[in-house]
Amino acid sequence: MTKKKMTDRPSKELELEERLREAEEILDALRSHKVDAVIGADQIAMIRLKEIEDQLQEQIQISSNRLKEIESIYQNVPVGLCILDRDLKFVRVNNYLAKMHGIPAEEHLGKTMSEILPKLAESTEEDLRRVIETGDPQMDVELKCETPAQPGVERYWLEQRFPVYNKQEQIIGINMVVEEVTERKKFEEKLQELNATLEERVAERTMLAEQRADKLRDMARKMIHVEEKERQRLARVLHDGLQQLLIGAKFKTSLIKKRLEDKDQEKEEIEQLNDLLDRSIEASRSLSYELSPPILHDQGLVAALYWLAGRPHLQDLAIHIEAEKDMLPLSQDLKVFFFQAIRELLINIVKHAEVQEAEVCISYDNDEVCIEVIDRGKGFDVENLKLSSPTGQGLRNMREKLELMKGKLKIESVPGMGSHFTLCVPIDKNSTPSVSDKTAENNNHITGGTVSVTNESTSDSSAMIGVLVVDDHQVMRNGLVRLLAEEPDIKIVGEASNGIEAVDFAHDIQPDVIIMDITMPEMDGIEATSLIHQKFPEIHIIGLSMHEESEYSKQMKRAGAVDLLNKGGPANRLLAAIRSVNA
Amino acid sequence: MQYSFILFIISNGDNSGRARENLERLCKKWLPGRHEIEVVDVIKDFQTALDYNILLTPSVVVTKPEPQKTIHGDLSDPDKFVKALNLHDQEKDD
């Protein structure tokens, strides 16, 4: 019966039952992992379960390896790391932090900050709680504490604190990064100390350097001064010694020449000797001027420049000199330096610029003197000026000297457009210019002779011309006296070795003629002439000098001299000038 | 009575290999000399699997005798096989 009933059951029901059974079987197979792949009829695709499983396995392996790596990094990174829970108990601590604390990592776990580092907890717990309450990270928090790892040592830490969230975005703890900065801190402190002392040292060194620079400048000034003194000494040796001797010799030859009037051959030889002497005198004179032009010391830089402009080696160059009228007196050293520098620059222009004109300007302001030497000649390339060339070396020396006097040298030049040199030196108002050189005066004084009166008036003194010879050089005086003694109408009434003596003499004796040297110690010829002329205008005063500059002759004439003659000139001119008193 | 099977597998599948071994062993035991087995690698012949409405491998479709039946899995359970083919009855009949 039942069997029949069963067979009677509708086929639809059977089919459903069959499919249900099949579905259960599929599920069974799947559950028991007896399946290799699942085929999706709808998507027409097949999934190989084995591959998925393998891939999953692989993923798990990779993930676990990564986790191990991260764990290893976490443990061994040279920075302290830890995680605290909401109760500030250690959940995780890396080895580095444990070492920093001096407490094994596992001893931290489950314990609070205050149990591990009570000193540190005091100052940090409040901040840590705030991270948990607010969720705001705290960056670069600096801490100072002592740890069991290094008892008695104060250490500095830098902490970063981040909140840790769970899936529900609730804060479950704090992730901390702790860096030891004790060394850095100590270094910083040392650095600060060093900086402080360094500044002190820099100040000290600067002062020393300044002192040295001052010393150097002082030495440079002294050097220029010594150089100039040496020049003056040489010039004086030439002037006082050689020139006077030569002139003395010349007077002698004049005498011999007169005595040998009828002996032609000897006369000619004497003439040649005379000529040689003239040339020697000229040579020594120009050398003594080169070394130290007296006009520079007597009348200043501007007058010396006018004189320089007329010198033979510069005579082809028309030099325009422009200077302010009321110039302050310059110190001796500065005057000499400027003169030498201008001379060098002008000589350079003659040598290199291929030009007939040059300009020299001297200007002043409150703090400095500036000299400009300008030409419109060939010019040169300033950048490529060879320092090794004599010109370059000269300019370098000039610049070095200037720098030592705190001055400056500016060179401007464009090829084809001329050149422009500017020398500026600050004026040291504290050092008053030394107008004359004391030692030179003293030396002159020693060489100067004494007053002597010649009392050998034998013939009729009224018919004879009474002459007073004033010169600080004995050789010169002797030469003159001998020369004049030969003349029947001339009588030497006295000799003086400086201006003061000359004035006294003129007062006492009142000679007809005074032959007056210009440069003399105590009082020079110009001043003496002026004084004598005011009192005794009838006395003929004839200036006699090594200096042949017109400036001297003008000054002598202004003072009252009737004439100015050159010491090296022919004897006849002197005699004629003396005799003109009777004219 | 003649029996025909189509075994759907994927090559390199562990369960597929086992299913093939099990099927051959069961046939030898129960249906010696009166069975034929066709093996279909689903990776190579996907369409046949779809035609027979096969959803996973390994699966065996019994095409003869009718009605057609499908057995899923690696055939490690002989009872399932025996039950599906009503071999117990036959055995009893034998």
Side-chain angles (χ1 to χ4, degrees):
Chain A
M1 279 283 286
T2 45
K3 211 173 181 179
K4 201 190 169 192
K5 253 184 192 172
M6 269 178 78
T7 49
D8 281 350
R9 275 165 73 183
S11 59
K12 191 99 181 164
E13 208 173 315
L14 277 173
E15 198 187 321
L16 275 172
E17 211 168 79
E18 176 61 23
R19 287 191 71 174
L20 194 67
R21 190 195 60 81
E22 202 178 321
E24 266 169 14
E25 209 178 294
I26 288 171
L27 274 173
D28 259 8
L30 281 169
R31 275 195 202 107
S32 60
H33 299 279
K34 286 170 182 170
V35 170
D36 286 333
V38 177
I39 300 154
D42 296 337
Q43 287 83 24
I44 315 183
M46 187 189 73
I47 303 157
R48 295 179 74 172
L49 295 180
K50 175 81 176 141
E51 272 174 23
I52 291 169
E53 206 180 296
D54 288 351
Q55 274 169 17
L56 269 173
Q57 278 300 331
E58 209 177 309
Q59 286 292 335
I60 290 164
Q61 192 61 43
I62 289 170
S63 296
S64 93
N65 284 349
R66 289 244 170 99
L67 208 64
K68 271 182 202 157
E69 271 171 39
I70 291 167
E71 180 63 23
S72 161
I73 291 169
Y74 190 89
Q75 287 304 335
N76 299 311
V77 71
V79 70
L81 299 169
C82 70
I83 293 172
L84 303 177
D85 66 10
R86 284 186 71 92
D87 301 324
L88 305 185
K89 280 179 184 158
F90 286 95
V91 177
R92 185 186 273 270
V93 175
N94 81 340
N95 291 335
Y96 199 83
L97 187 66
K99 241 184 257 168
M100 274 163 78
H101 288 172
I103 298 163
E106 53 276 12
E107 272 183 37
H108 285 75
L109 304 180
K111 287 184 184 154
T112 61
M113 275 288 273
S114 46
E115 284 172 292
I116 298 294
L117 294 168
K119 278 185 193 165
L120 188 63
E122 265 173 47
S123 59
T124 57
E125 266 184 351
E126 213 184 301
D127 286 344
L128 293 171
R129 289 226 168 76
R130 206 170 323 118
V131 176
I132 287 169
E133 278 156 25
T134 63
D136 293 334
Q138 293 172 357
M139 310 298 287
D140 296 330
V141 182
E142 233 177 68
L143 298 174
K144 196 163 72 172
C145 86
E146 197 192 309
T147 61
Q150 285 172 286
V153 178
E154 193 148 78
R155 297 165 73 184
Y156 295 88
W157 289 344
L158 200 63
E159 279 192 6
Q160 321 289 335
R161 300 160 179 162
F162 309 95
V164 181
Y165 293 92
N166 65 4
K167 273 184 186 168
Q168 287 77 44
E169 305 237 321
Q170 292 162 327
I171 295 166
I172 53 164
I174 306 171
N175 192 350
M176 293 216 301
V177 181
V178 188
E179 227 179 312
E180 170 113 42
V181 291
T182 311
E183 291 296 311
R184 196 197 299 171
K185 197 84 188 167
K186 279 182 187 162
F187 186 70
E188 271 172 16
E189 274 167 17
K190 258 191 192 158
L191 206 66
Q192 267 173 0
E193 256 173 56
L194 258 173
N195 268 340
T197 53
L198 202 66
E199 264 167 45
E200 249 171 62
R201 274 189 211 167
V202 166
E204 252 171 57
R205 289 274 158 90
T206 311
M207 213 172 72
L208 256 172
E210 270 169 14
Q211 280 171 358
R212 273 184 202 159
D214 279 346
K215 247 187 201 167
L216 265 175
R217 269 192 285 278
D218 199 42
M219 276 166 70
R221 231 175 271 135
K222 276 182 188 151
M223 189 188 78
I224 294 169
H225 187 74
V226 165
E227 225 176 71
E228 176 54 17
K229 261 175 82 178
E230 191 55 21
R231 262 201 214 98
Q232 284 179 359
R233 195 183 68 80
L234 282 171
R236 211 164 49 237
V237 166
L238 281 169
H239 178 270
D240 292 358
L242 190 57
Q243 284 178 40
Q244 307 303 330
L245 288 171
L246 286 168
I247 287 162
K250 223 196 133 197
F251 282 132
K252 283 250 179 197
T253 58
S254 298
L255 272 175
I256 296 164
K257 202 174 114 192
K258 273 185 99 185
R259 285 177 189 164
L260 293 172
E261 257 163 26
D262 44 347
K263 293 179 186 167
D264 284 347
Q265 204 195 329
E266 280 89 339
K267 208 176 154 188
E268 199 176 310
E269 267 169 30
I270 289 292
E271 200 67 61
Q272 283 169 3
L273 184 58
N274 220 11
D275 192 42
L276 273 175
L277 282 170
D278 275 343
R279 274 154 61 193
S280 308
I281 291 165
E282 183 50 42
S284 79
R285 181 184 290 142
S286 71
L287 184 58
S288 89
Y289 284 163
E290 288 295 311
L291 286 168
S292 175
I295 193 165
L296 177 64
H297 308 295
D298 297 340
Q299 293 172 46
L301 182 60
V302 179
L305 288 179
Y306 277 109
W307 172 80
L308 181 68
R311 303 302 302 152
H313 58 280
L314 291 172
Q315 66 192 4
D316 293 335
L317 194 66
I319 300 167
H320 307 288
I321 298 163
E322 212 174 281
E324 282 166 33
K325 285 247 168 73
D326 42 340
M327 265 189 43
L328 282 164
L330 296 171
S331 76
Q332 190 78 355
D333 294 340
L334 202 53
K335 222 159 49 176
V336 169
F337 170 74
F338 274 148
F339 181 80
Q340 300 291 353
I342 292 168
R343 189 170 154 268
E344 190 174 336
L345 291 172
L346 288 172
I347 289 171
N348 283 345
I349 290 172
V350 171
K351 275 196 215 157
H352 307 296
E354 295 173 9
V355 74
Q356 268 80 47
E357 271 180 286
E359 210 177 310
V360 179
C361 299
I362 306 172
S363 56
Y364 262 93
D365 64 27
N366 290 334
D367 314 312
E368 56 178 13
V369 201
C370 285
I371 305 281
E372 286 162 274
V373 177
I374 306 157
D375 73 76
R376 310 249 171 272
K378 215 169 70 176
F380 57 90
D381 190 350
V382 180
E383 299 283 311
N384 292 331
L385 181 68
K386 277 187 194 133
L387 283 176
S388 54
S389 71
T391 311
Q393 197 123 36
L395 289 174
R396 199 178 57 187
N397 287 344
M398 201 180 289
R399 171 166 282 154
E400 277 170 7
K401 274 188 188 170
L402 267 169
E403 275 167 6
L404 289 167
M405 291 189 285
K406 288 188 176 172
K408 267 178 266 162
L409 170 66
K410 198 165 94 184
I411 305 173
E412 295 160 286
S413 184
V414 177
M417 305 280 279
S419 54
H420 190 150
F421 296 85
T422 312
L423 293 81
C424 287
V425 177
I427 299 167
D428 192 357
K429 281 174 182 161
N430 298 329
S431 74
T432 50
S434 60
V435 176
S436 62
D437 191 25
K438 289 263 160 61
T439 43
E441 271 178 16
N442 292 342
N443 286 349
N444 278 347
H445 190 63
I446 291 158
T447 53
T450 49
V451 184
S452 61
V453 183
T454 41
N455 289 322
E456 41 179 304
S457 49
T458 45
S459 53
D460 185 10
S461 61
S462 64
M464 291 172 84
I465 303 166
V467 176
L468 169 66
V469 178
V470 186
D471 198 307
D472 55 331
H473 301 291
Q474 184 131 30
V475 181
M476 187 66 210
R477 279 205 313 274
N478 291 347
L480 273 170
V481 167
R482 280 202 200 125
L483 178 75
L484 298 179
E486 292 281 310
E487 303 303 316
D489 56 339
I490 293 169
K491 185 187 159 200
I492 304 293
V493 294
E495 293 176 39
S497 67
N498 62 45
I500 293 168
E501 288 172 6
V503 173
D504 288 347
F505 227 103
H507 197 268
D508 295 344
I509 293 174
Q510 291 172 31
D512 300 307
V513 174
I514 301 175
I515 297 171
M516 181 82 80
D517 187 20
I518 294 178
T519 39
M520 285 184 295
E522 308 293 330
M523 183 190 287
D524 68 13
I526 295 164
E527 197 179 346
T529 302
S530 170
L531 287 171
I532 295 166
H533 185 69
Q534 276 168 27
K535 263 196 168 173
F536 312 103
E538 70 280 5
I539 298 178
H540 268 231
I541 303 171
I542 300 165
L544 196 60
S545 171
M546 286 298 214
H547 313 292
E548 52 181 354
E549 290 75 41
S550 54
E551 190 58 35
Y552 279 117
S553 117
K554 271 184 215 157
Q555 284 192 29
M556 271 306 266
K557 284 188 176 158
R558 231 178 281 136
V562 291
D563 210 346
L564 184 93
L565 296 178
N566 196 324
K567 276 182 181 175
N572 291 343
R573 263 189 77 188
L574 178 61
L575 294 174
I578 293 169
R579 283 176 185 128
S580 73
V581 73
N582 287 337
Chain B
M1 195 162 36
Q2 193 67 29
Y3 285 82
S4 292
F5 303 95
I6 305 174
L7 175 64
F8 291 92
I9 56 151
I10 55 167
S11 51
N12 306 328
D14 293 343
N15 288 312
S16 297
R18 264 197 295 281
R20 191 171 183 163
E21 279 168 25
N22 287 335
L23 180 63
E24 278 168 4
R25 192 168 39 80
L26 287 166
C27 285
K28 225 181 217 172
K29 184 179 176 186
W30 292 96
L31 312 164
R34 46 185 182 122
H35 69 273
E36 52 180 23
I37 302 168
E38 189 190 341
V39 179
V40 174
D41 185 347
V42 176
I43 291 168
K44 287 176 190 156
D45 183 3
F46 193 76
Q47 192 53 49
T48 308
L50 289 179
D51 292 345
Y52 282 90
N53 212 14
I54 290 302
L55 298 175
L56 47 85
T57 65
S59 293
V60 178
V61 177
V62 188
T63 51
K64 274 182 190 169
E66 301 235 337
Q68 188 178 297
K69 273 181 186 158
T70 308
I71 309 163
H72 302 281
D74 63 356
L75 303 178
S76 52
D77 180 4
D79 281 353
K80 221 185 218 175
F81 179 79
V82 171
K83 231 186 209 168
L85 295 182
N86 288 319
L87 293 178
H88 285 291
D89 293 350
Q90 252 182 45
E91 205 179 23
K92 277 179 187 170
D93 290 348
D94 285 340

